[in-house]
Amino acid sequence: MESIPNFNTLIEKSIKENWNLDALTDYKGITLQYHDVARKIEKLHIMFENSGVKQGDKIALCGRNSAGWASAFLATLTYGAVAVPILHEFTADQIHNIVNHSEAKILFAGDVVSTQVDPMKMPNIEGIIYIPDYSVLFSRSDKLTYAREHLNEMFGKKYPKYFRSEHVNYYKEKSPDELALINYTSGTTGFSKGVMIPYRALWSNFDFACHAMGSNVKKGDNVLSILPMAHMYGMAFEFIYEFLRGCHVFYLTRVPSPAIIAKAFAEVRPAIIIAVPLVIEKIIKKKVFPKIQNNRMRLLLNMPVINKKVRQAIRDQVVESFGGRFMEVIIGGAAFNQEVESFLHRIEFPYTVGYGATECAPIICYADYHNFVPGSCGKVAIHNELKIASPDPQNIPGEILVRGLNVMLGYYKNEEATRQTIDSEGWYHTGDLGVIDYDGNVFIKGRSKYMLLSANGQNIYPEEIEDKLNSMTLVNESIVIQEDDKLVGLVHPDLDEAYAMGFTSTDLESIMEQNRKELNESLPAYSRISSIRIHNEEFEKTPKKSIKRFLYLNEK
């Protein structure tokens, strides 16, 4: 194994070198400088130590992104405990199950989560700590209660004169394979699994980001955190990387609607933007398309002399709507809508699409926007190798396999699932299907577990059909399912738009039938849709905004 620097040493180094710089801001709220974060970490360490928390104990964190969440997470790692980040969108029962399954000793709970969880359903935790002020909401431990009540006094005794950067001295992991955190998957296919992430995977993803961003992201730069930090994508690339680089991270503490995000982009003007397709698609569809999808603009875009200037003007406008200062927009976490992607490519917008998995903490593939091939998800990231399990990887889709520093240790307390996912040679089986071109660009063709088989044995990838369907008139989102030997499209229409135009439900059905006919013209015979069924409600989604497909597979 290649030489891997000590990860907690990097946290310590960043805090010392950036002592007086802004570190973490709750948007429209408090700002912590690096020395403030160090002080919070130190106080939490005193509280852990005096309440009997040992190295290797599990500490769960569940709440919306905030400076308090980030500080508690850093305090957990630098104490030598194992962090268990839990997505705050999970139900109370899911949170209880994860806390119990992970054997967490302490739960840090955010303002909303703290009102939802029931300590009686988590019999093994010793306490619940409130993230906004680290007060103890519930305690089964006299030591924890005493430590919190006397915390300032204990801190004053330890540092009678002052607390300075030379006092910062953190736990150093003994081996790159040591467990740093357990991240529970968002569970698109049902039951969540606890992914065991070692320190080497955190370092490897950080080192990848340093290579990928180069000098474009530097000390003092701003970044806007939109994705949940409890998810590996947001944690690795909107928090850990930037914190170790000396950046200033802004947290959107409210539910990030497109309007709020657009306003925050304009104010924060981030140096890099990390997003899931849904965020980008909504901003483009709501703010950009209405301005350019008129006859005059279409005419200008089709005139060769003018269209370059028009494209440049549109690109400048789109760039400005994301703050105007970023190196590039990196999109990942789900498939990107082809209509939006081809539009961004046409106006030469600096975007790229990455590919990852919680099990790889998270990065698997990436290429910067200069080298990005549209429709692909880049090339395998440094410190890893990738292969396609196919007799002809360039042409016949096969399962994508990954091996290297990013790959997890396995699933917590689930050896069977680990054996099914990581083979004897160390290859992680992603469950995704793809092809790879001669230059190493990877193209995802779908989830192997979602692949459908036609009556004559043809492979059908429902996501490819859904991507086309999602770009059609009044379609908000869709799922393609198989009933007997027929394919059916379930569609949640853009009802606001439909009602604004005065359409009745009969009109909507006619429009969907027209969509079906148009769609089928672009599809091979074996993957054509036999009917479209309208869903008035949005499809249920995981916190990562993937549709919970398994809920709709047997719908009649």
Side-chain angles (χ1 to χ4, degrees):
M1 188 182 281
E2 57 190 289
S3 170
I4 298 167
N6 191 284
F7 188 78
N8 280 333
T9 301
L10 296 177
I11 298 175
E12 191 178 298
K13 184 167 174 272
S14 179
I15 285 174
K16 288 177 173 178
E17 288 180 357
N18 303 300
W19 193 250
N20 291 315
L21 290 183
D22 290 343
L24 309 169
T25 292
D26 290 337
Y27 184 59
K28 303 295 186 194
I30 61 149
T31 292
L32 300 180
Q33 294 191 315
Y34 279 82
H35 65 85
D36 297 317
V37 176
R39 197 179 181 88
K40 283 186 182 295
I41 289 172
E42 195 60 32
K43 285 191 170 181
L44 288 172
H45 283 183
I46 290 170
M47 193 154 79
F48 293 160
E49 194 179 336
N50 286 282
S51 56
V53 175
K54 297 182 185 67
Q55 279 152 9
D57 280 347
K58 320 293 188 301
I59 293 179
L61 304 100
C62 188
R64 289 179 299 188
N65 287 5
S66 68
W69 194 109
S71 302
F73 175 84
L74 293 170
T76 301
L77 254 56
T78 55
Y79 185 79
V82 174
V84 182
I86 303 173
L87 287 153
H88 70 277
E89 293 102 329
F90 279 153
T91 64
D93 281 347
Q94 287 174 310
I95 297 167
H96 299 149
N97 289 340
I98 290 171
V99 168
N100 295 335
H101 185 266
S102 67
E103 301 166 289
K105 212 168 185 180
I106 287 174
L107 168 65
F108 281 90
D111 51 0
V112 178
V113 171
S114 61
T115 65
Q116 296 167 333
V117 292
D118 179 354
M120 297 308 122
K121 293 187 176 167
M122 299 177 284
N124 299 317
I125 57 163
E126 293 184 3
I128 299 176
I129 297 171
Y130 187 56
I131 290 173
D133 62 5
Y134 300 147
S135 56
V136 174
L137 294 177
F138 171 81
S139 176
R140 288 191 174 98
S141 156
D142 293 342
K143 281 161 62 176
L144 173 62
T145 308
Y146 181 88
R148 182 62 185 95
E149 283 173 0
H150 297 83
L151 188 55
N152 288 336
E153 186 189 319
M154 290 172 172
F155 185 81
K157 265 188 192 156
K158 192 170 182 182
Y159 304 103
K161 292 185 179 168
Y162 47 71
F163 175 68
R164 286 194 182 159
S165 64
E166 58 264 30
H167 295 130
V168 173
N169 181 27
Y170 295 149
Y171 167 81
K172 311 300 186 292
E173 65 269 21
K174 309 286 187 291
S175 144
D177 272 327
E178 189 174 321
L179 181 61
L181 59 114
I182 304 173
N183 200 235
Y184 283 78
T185 57
S186 54
T188 311
T189 52
F191 184 68
S192 246
K193 294 194 283 277
V195 177
M196 297 192 286
I197 305 288
Y199 277 99
R200 63 168 158 76
L202 295 182
W203 173 79
S204 179
N205 272 275
F206 166 65
D207 193 56
F208 150 77
C210 291
H211 280 83
M213 305 309 147
S215 59
N216 291 292
V217 177
K218 52 198 178 299
K219 188 181 285 214
D221 275 349
N222 291 349
V223 70
L224 185 64
S225 172
I226 304 168
L227 305 168
M229 274 193 293
H231 196 275
M232 284 312 306
Y233 185 32
M235 183 192 291
F237 303 128
E238 284 185 335
F239 168 41
I240 290 176
Y241 164 67
E242 285 82 358
F243 189 86
L244 297 186
R245 294 284 282 187
C247 297
H248 182 187
V249 183
F250 288 78
Y251 293 111
L252 283 178
T253 50
R254 292 171 293 172
V255 177
S257 69
I260 288 170
I261 292 170
K263 189 168 180 290
F265 276 140
E267 290 176 26
V268 174
R269 305 190 72 209
I272 185 82
I273 293 170
I274 314 291
V276 290
L278 201 68
V279 170
I280 304 300
E281 286 164 16
K282 279 189 171 172
I283 290 174
I284 299 290
K285 282 181 172 178
K286 299 272 184 208
K287 294 195 167 289
V288 179
F289 279 176
K291 292 178 187 171
I292 62 169
Q293 288 181 330
N294 56 49
N295 290 338
R296 181 173 168 273
M297 191 58 87
R298 284 199 183 106
L299 192 67
L300 290 173
L301 277 168
N302 287 324
M303 293 173 70
V305 182
I306 299 173
N307 78 1
K308 194 167 182 197
K309 281 184 180 171
V310 174
R311 277 208 316 267
Q312 172 78 43
I314 293 169
R315 182 175 73 232
D316 291 348
Q317 193 182 339
V318 178
V319 165
E320 202 47 48
S321 67
F322 289 99
R325 268 203 69 236
F326 57 92
M327 166 207 170
E328 69 181 0
V329 175
I330 303 173
I331 296 157
F336 200 17
N337 177 279
Q338 288 292 296
E339 182 193 13
V340 175
E341 180 168 3
S342 59
F343 163 73
L344 292 178
H345 183 63
R346 197 173 169 202
I347 64 167
E348 296 173 8
F349 182 77
Y351 81 97
T352 186
V353 178
Y355 163 56
T358 303
E359 287 84 348
C360 290
I363 202 70
I364 294 173
C365 292
Y366 167 86
D368 77 27
Y369 76 95
H370 298 100
N371 304 312
F372 174 65
V373 176
S376 81
C377 59
K379 301 178 182 184
V380 67
I382 56 168
H383 308 304
N384 298 279
E385 48 186 325
L386 178 148
K387 68 178 180 182
I388 306 285
S390 160
D392 180 2
Q394 275 83 29
N395 301 300
I396 300 170
E399 188 174 12
I400 299 168
L401 310 184
V402 190
R403 185 166 66 179
L405 292 185
N406 286 13
V407 175
M408 66 172 179
L409 299 167
Y411 297 113
Y412 187 57
K413 296 197 294 197
N414 195 338
E415 285 180 24
E416 190 190 338
T418 302
R419 273 197 304 274
Q420 288 170 358
T421 311
I422 301 177
D423 66 27
S424 57
E425 294 178 353
W427 289 101
Y428 161 59
H429 291 241
T430 64
D432 293 324
L433 296 169
V435 293
I436 187 167
D437 69 14
Y438 287 102
D439 295 320
N441 295 295
V442 176
F443 296 80
I444 293 172
K445 294 297 179 187
R447 293 283 298 174
S448 58
K449 60 181 68 154
Y450 300 146
M451 190 186 77
L452 308 173
L453 208 59
S454 71
N456 60 353
Q458 295 276 11
N459 293 344
I460 299 166
Y461 304 112
E463 298 99 322
E464 292 189 352
I465 306 171
E466 290 155 9
D467 192 66
K468 288 180 159 66
L469 187 50
N470 290 345
S471 295
M472 303 189 90
T473 309
L474 292 179
V475 176
N476 225 348
E477 52 185 10
S478 65
I479 312 174
V480 171
I481 62 170
Q482 200 165 23
E483 291 182 352
D484 302 321
D485 61 349
K486 290 189 165 61
L487 295 179
V488 176
L490 310 180
V491 167
H492 170 55
D494 190 338
L495 295 172
D496 293 345
E497 188 77 15
Y499 295 148
M501 295 166 106
F503 291 142
T504 64
S505 53
T506 311
D507 294 333
L508 255 183
E509 282 179 17
S510 303
I511 290 164
M512 291 306 152
E513 180 55 14
Q514 185 58 39
N515 283 343
R516 186 186 73 82
K517 288 175 178 168
E518 274 180 45
L519 174 69
N520 283 346
E521 283 172 18
S522 69
L523 295 171
Y526 64 82
S527 65
R528 286 182 183 152
I529 303 284
S530 65
S531 64
I532 284 181
R533 208 174 290 148
I534 290 176
H535 260 246
N536 288 325
E537 302 295 320
E538 261 193 51
F539 296 114
E540 270 196 59
K541 297 186 185 68
T542 68
K544 206 178 82 173
K545 303 298 177 214
S546 312
I547 292 171
K548 290 184 176 176
R549 192 179 285 269
F550 62 95
L551 293 177
Y552 305 95
L553 294 184
N554 300 314
E555 181 170 303
K556 287 284 182 195

